[in-house]
């Protein structure tokens, strides 16, 4: 769970389940929770979500999710969508490698590039806080979506919509 002043990339202790997994399983599980976090937070904010996949191109930790552009939403909500993948990974102890989330972090830096450094940090904290709140509130949906994505590796928009509707 996000706490202001903590690094969202900080490692947390891994549970016994994660220790028992192979590296490909660990990375795929992390990718599934990461993408599920993005999808559920975007859905909560009223954006249209499409399909998702993990284990892309032989990279077990690589995932993607089709999400409507958030450019018309509040900046904090845009940052929350970026941060949601890492927040979900942390909440579910589903970490992959240290580079996970760098693309999301890059998007946040891009969104905040026009601000002074102190304001950038304040806004990043707000975005992570918003993501953490939504991820925690919708924990059950994220878990159902992530476990289904982990199992199938690819989900279409219709299947994701059914999971989110439950």
């Amino acid at each position: 769970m996000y706490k202001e002043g903590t690094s969202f990339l900080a490692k947390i202790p891994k549970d016994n389940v994660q220790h028992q997994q192979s590296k490909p399983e660990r990375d795929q599980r992390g990718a599934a929770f990461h993408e599920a976090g993005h999808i559920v937070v975007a859905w909560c904010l009223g954006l249209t979500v499409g399909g998702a996949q993990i284990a892309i191109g032989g990279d077990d930790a690589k995932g993607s999710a089709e999400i409507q552009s958030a450019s018309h939403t509040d900046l904090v909500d845009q940052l929350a969508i970026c941060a949601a993948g890492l927040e979900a990974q942390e909440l579910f102890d589903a970490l992959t490698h240290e580079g996970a989330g760098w693309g999301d972090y890059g998007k946040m830096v891009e969104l905040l590039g026009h601000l002074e450094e102190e304001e950038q940090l304040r806004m990043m904290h707000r975005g992570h806080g918003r993501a953490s709140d939504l991820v925690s509130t919708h924990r059950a949906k994220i878990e159902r979506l992530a476990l289904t994505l982990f199992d199938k590796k690819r989900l279409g928009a219709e299947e994701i919509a059914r999971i989110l509707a439950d």
Side-chain angles (χ1 to χ4, degrees), residues 31-43:
F33 276 96
H34 187 98
E35 298 309 325
H38 287 308
I39 290 167
V40 172
V41 168
W43 174 79

Side-chain angles (χ1 to χ4, degrees), residues 2-51:
Y2 178 74
K3 292 182 179 83
E4 188 165 340
T6 63
S7 169
F8 61 91
L9 294 176
K11 294 291 183 188
I12 58 176
K14 296 179 178 38
D15 61 18
N16 289 336
V17 173
Q18 201 158 3
H19 282 301
Q20 295 170 4
Q21 292 176 326
S22 68
K23 184 178 182 315
E25 287 174 325
R26 183 204 69 196
D27 286 351
Q28 289 176 19
R29 181 176 180 271
F33 276 96
H34 187 98
E35 298 309 325
H38 287 308
I39 290 167
V40 172
V41 168
W43 174 79
C44 287
L45 296 173
L47 298 178
T48 302
V49 295

Side-chain angles (χ1 to χ4, degrees), residues 106-166:
K107 176 66 175 171
M108 292 174 84
V109 169
E110 181 181 313
L111 288 168
L112 298 170
H114 64 286
L115 301 174
E116 296 292 326
E117 184 176 352
E118 188 173 305
E119 182 65 6
Q120 286 179 7
L121 291 173
R122 190 179 75 72
M123 293 300 290
M124 285 180 128
H125 287 302
R126 287 185 60 202
H128 272 280
R130 176 90 162 116
S132 179
D133 290 346
L134 290 169
V135 165
S136 295
T137 299
H138 298 280
R139 177 185 184 117
K141 286 187 187 306
I142 291 172
E143 187 169 26
R144 280 194 308 273
L145 181 57
L147 294 176
T148 305
L149 183 56
F150 176 74
D151 184 49
K152 295 185 175 185
K153 309 299 184 246
R154 170 177 248 145
L155 298 174
E158 300 79 22
E159 190 164 8
I160 290 174
R162 279 193 301 275
I163 293 168
L164 295 174
D166 286 342

